[in-house]
Amino acid sequence: MFTLTNIRFYEGCKYMKNLHIETDYPIEHKLDKDFFAPNICISAIVGQNGAGKSSLLDMIFRVVNNLSYCLFSRIERDASAPLSYITGLYVDLTYEANGKTGMVRVRDGVLGFVFGILKCKFIVYKTEQAIEIGEELQEYVDYASVNFKQQKEIAKAFFYTIATNYSMQSFIAQDYSEEKTIYMANGNNGEILPASWPWLNSLFHKNDGYLSPIVLNPYRDNGWIDMSNEEHLTTSRLAALLIEEDPIHPLLDGYIFDNMYFHWRPRKLQEKFVSIKDQRKLYPNKEEVEEHKRSYTNEKDLWNYEEDKDLEDFRKLALEKYSFAHIILKALGCSVSRTMDHLQIYVRMYVVYKVLSVAEKYPSYTHFKKNFGDINYTFCTIPIENKKITVLQLRELAKTVKRDPSHIGLKLRQALNFIKKGKDLKGGELADKISYKQYAELLGIEPKGMTVKNRMEWLPPGIFRSEISLKNTKTGKPVPLNHLSSGERQFIYLTSTLLYHAMNLSTIPKNGTRVRYNRLNFILDEVEICFHPEYQRCFVKKMIDLFVRVGLNKSFDINILITTHSPFILSDIPVDNILCLNKGSVNKDALEQTFCSNVYDLLNNQFFMTQFVGDMAAEKLNDIVKELDLLSEKYENRAKPIDKNTILRLQKSINMIGDRFIKMKLLEKLEYLKRKDSLEVEYEMLKKQMQVVEEKIKKRR
């Protein structure tokens, strides 16, 4: 079983906010390893707003970021934000896996890593304090220059973190801009310099082939989330999962998979290309052309725009023996002909683009980058010098990407499968949207019974845009994904994001040339955002079922850490797996058994709530009680009856109260006052009569 077990801070640690020095923040796991599901462990952090939950998670991210820097700062990651090292941290992050204890120990400019007998340290920068700390880690082996074997050794011992937070106030890079960071300039031999960018930028989804052991979701551009892009990503991520959904355990309650449609997206690809000479777009879209015309009056400066001219340009180029396009396509067995339909040309342009983009983006293809790391070579011929060697290397690149079993090669294989099976398809046949069933029939494939991974191989390539339709189980009507409620869409966004990254990580070979992590750490911050209580109640079970269904727990040891304000989520997690915070301190006394607990008990004990109604309602309730008490005092010794309008007003207010017990007690008090008033009048009258009678008796005596 894999779990995070503790985080501890030491004197001198910065960025603590309301957390405390020399304090352990532990999660004690005492459950059977298969309590939730085989190879899956779930824990939680709870507390009021400001208790320190997000601060604690931020520290975990900082520690993982610094380890990432130590391991991979010397590797080219041009398609990703550069890694930087956060200074001023004094913290230990501890985890357990397979009976062994792992720990990342950050001491400002020195970082130590421990797992079992493996003990290594990285001296990022030297100070007097760093030398003293170095003595603390004296027995650790100095990994001054990490080689690939060492990287794989540590990655195998560590874990990959997939973190999510959909709150608009979270993961804003600018919020971390004042934190001091450093980076290594100019690669291996560069000097250490202050970084001018927030460290958080490098932790968002990046094209590094899952090298650095953490990714934050959703992607933010200084706090801004492109929801249109999120929806597009969600649709493509869910495609293979929903095509053959389990009807007994659907992804979304109340809905089953209805259909999936695909649209051919001409010209979307061309917009990526720019002129190598002047960095001007080769094929701008129509909107950009119109805007350019409005901005420039010089006819010579106008962009030339002709529909499908780019496809004909590519056809001509792909027929040339020494063009990048011709060599790549020939190596992959899908050359261009002079009479080929524009759809077939377009998908081949996409093939060339994908091969070159891999060389441009991914660190594991760095050795190809110098000669082929530019997508704009799609419209170029190779240089005259070293032509023979260049051709051989380009062929090798194309074949290597095709063979890559991970997500890096997936989109290329999808395009090649389309070319292989759909060689006779024409653009006119796919001009309108078609269903997945129609697509499968056109290609002559039978997706039923395929595994999720195999089904992904036969999805339409990236030149198509996908659209998912679900069916409402009550009405039987189809519902597009973008017509679902915000809570329903949020559930799908979250689960699809987790699955997407996890499935991609699972495709990396364990014994290949890339770093492969064996453990997944999911951190779900404020997971219940937009969720109805019913969704909160079902979330943990649905997530476990989904992970088991796609076999993630067979590929990885999984730890799930949730921060939540939901008693429904907490009721699925035993107390030993919960860290309870109160104003930055661990509140052990507040912890009582949570598993299968009453919601009100959870709110009172784990969420420190003393009131279970809104403040406005509580104030109105107190006003009613006070008025009843005053009425009771006012008419205690008087025979004057209570005003009927007052009685009616109080009765109306009390009848609005939803809590049956409170309502009953207040109504009893009101009725008592009413009865007491009438009886009081009668009592005074009888008392006077008794006095008269007593006077008469005295006189007779």
Side-chain angles (χ1 to χ4, degrees), residues 580-631:
C580 191
L581 299 178
N582 187 17
K583 297 180 180 179
S585 299
V586 178
N587 196 328
K588 294 183 179 179
D589 296 334
L591 292 175
E592 298 181 7
Q593 188 52 264
T594 55
F595 190 70
C596 294
S597 285
N598 178 280
V599 169
Y600 290 102
D601 291 338
L602 289 171
L603 288 170
N604 185 43
N605 297 321
Q606 273 66 49
F607 295 95
F608 313 107
M609 290 187 67
T610 57
Q611 292 275 5
F612 299 102
V613 297
D615 276 355
M616 180 180 154
E619 183 179 323
K620 292 291 185 184
L621 181 61
N622 288 332
D623 289 344
I624 293 171
V625 174
K626 286 179 182 178
E627 188 170 1
L628 289 172
D629 290 341
L630 287 171
L631 286 171

Side-chain angles (χ1 to χ4, degrees), residues 227-236 481-482 489 493:
M227 292 309 300
S228 177
N229 187 55
E230 280 296 303
E231 185 163 324
H232 167 68
L233 291 173
T234 298
T235 302
S236 59
L481 194 64
N482 59 1
R489 292 168 77 177
Y493 288 165

Side-chain angles (χ1 to χ4, degrees), residues 14 23 50 70 194 209 222 268 278 286 307 431 437 447 450 486 548 580 617:
K14 297 180 179 178
T23 300
C70 293
N222 197 30
K268 283 293 182 182
D278 58 13
K286 292 180 179 179
E307 196 73 46
K437 183 179 180 181
M450 286 185 179
S486 59
V548 172
C580 191

Side-chain angles (χ1 to χ4, degrees), residues 86-131:
I86 306 162
T87 65
L89 297 183
Y90 296 85
V91 56
D92 290 343
L93 174 64
T94 309
Y95 65 97
E96 290 186 1
N98 300 328
K100 298 179 181 179
T101 298
M103 187 182 298
V104 183
R105 310 184 69 186
V106 186
R107 301 294 186 270
D108 199 12
V110 180
L111 185 143
F113 178 78
V114 181
F115 186 77
I117 61 172
L118 174 64
K119 294 183 177 180
C120 58
K121 64 182 176 184
F122 305 84
I123 302 176
V124 181
Y125 59 91
K126 294 182 179 180
T127 62
E128 290 186 8
Q129 197 170 14
I131 295 171

Side-chain angles (χ1 to χ4, degrees), residues 116 147 236 295 298 307 344 434 577 589 639:
N147 58 38
S236 59
S295 304
N298 188 351
E307 196 73 46
Q344 297 294 335
I434 62 168
N577 285 39
D589 296 334

